[in-house]
Amino acid sequence: MILIKLGGSVITNKGKPLSPRRKSIDKIVKTLKKINEPIVIVHGGGSYGHYWSVKYDMHTKPEKYSTRGVSIVKNSMIELNKIILDSFLKNKLNPYCLPPTDFISGNKPITKKIKMIEKIARSGFIPVTYGDALWYGQKKSFILSGDRIMGVLATILKPRLSIFVVNVDGLYSNIKTKKLIRELKGRKPLISKSSKDVTGGMNRKVDEAIKISKKGMNVFFVNGNKPERIIDAINRKKFHGTLFRG
Ligand code: IPE
């Protein structure tokens, strides 16, 4: 099984509120058709979920955030999710929409439900889930990122490869010269502040990738504007991106 996260910077224009990148979405989805094994898709919030979470000052830490904000973030994620699902259907793939509330309670994974995701994927559907605003309990809520969902799903489903589709070629050792780190094992590289700025949540993605790779699984960062690289990696042909070796 392959676990794939479609980053918000690839599927939306992060510089403009509520703007999907439909062409990029379609191009990636078309490429996914070439994969001959079960896949599970997670997508981020980009200029949908992130835009509203910033407006309502909501974060990953459970707090008493605005109820209005929670509703609006959730609604915007459904809107983005619908765009992704429509693209799957248009390209003759069969998505199976799973809001994260289906397999996460509070901030705890529901193992039984997550194991069902694998069965769904093996029966010919493509499960699609996404980062979202979630109710935590005691009037608190929190933002669950798609990156965190990747960690949760990888731990239980043990995919042979977890792929983070991003808007750059991978992790750069030097942001100015764009020198790509081809392979990493174990330790986290120093991520310069500027590289954090350029790629938004790159730091958070790397943390999640390292956690997964430390459990013995390979993780790959790849440029979503070059979707054929996803297929090359899945076919073990070539890893044009950053490979975190498990
Ligand atoms: C964000 O998920 C979810 C919300 C803000 C509601 P991610 O944090 O995984 O999104 P991207 O990929 O960085 O945009």
Side-chain angles (χ1 to χ4, degrees), residues 4 11 20 33 41 58 68 73 126 130 147 172 188-189 202 214 226 233 238 246:
I4 301 174
I11 57 172
K33 284 184 82 162
I41 303 288
M58 297 160 63
R68 183 88 188 145
V73 167
I126 301 179
Y130 50 86
D147 297 332
Y172 299 128
K188 185 177 175 177
M202 196 50 109
K214 278 193 173 159
K226 307 270 160 58
K238 195 168 119 193

Side-chain angles (χ1 to χ4, degrees), residues 220-240:
F220 184 53
F221 282 18
V222 68
N223 192 335
N225 305 302
K226 307 270 160 58
E228 67 284 1
R229 291 179 186 172
I230 301 174
I231 305 300
D232 285 346
I234 290 176
N235 294 337
R236 301 181 175 91
K237 236 174 80 190
K238 195 168 119 193
F239 288 92
H240 192 144

Side-chain angles (χ1 to χ4, degrees), residues 38-109:
I39 57 174
V40 175
I41 303 288
V42 179
H43 70 78
S47 68
Y48 284 76
H50 277 295
Y51 170 73
W52 292 113
S53 336
V54 168
K55 278 231 152 177
Y56 283 92
D57 198 21
M58 297 160 63
H59 305 276
T60 51
K61 187 171 181 269
E63 298 267 9
K64 288 180 181 160
Y65 300 119
S66 152
T67 40
R68 183 88 188 145
V70 173
S71 296
I72 290 179
V73 167
K74 280 183 114 38
N75 204 36
S76 77
M77 286 310 299
I78 292 217
E79 206 177 314
L80 178 58
N81 181 240
K82 176 79 163 58
I83 294 170
I84 306 281
L85 298 177
D86 282 344
S87 173
F88 273 76
L89 283 172
K90 194 174 81 187
N91 287 294
K92 306 207 161 43
L93 287 169
N94 298 321
Y96 188 95
C97 168
L98 283 167
T101 43
D102 188 82
F103 55 88
I104 292 191
S105 166
N107 62 353
K108 299 259 179 325

Side-chain angles (χ1 to χ4, degrees), residues 5-9 14 44-46 49-50 53 73 77 131-133 143-147 204-205:
K5 155 100 196 275
L6 305 179
S9 58
K14 272 206 160 175
H50 277 295
S53 336
V73 167
M77 286 310 299
D132 202 359
I143 298 293
L144 173 69
S145 75
D147 297 332
R204 196 185 52 213
K205 272 179 226 309

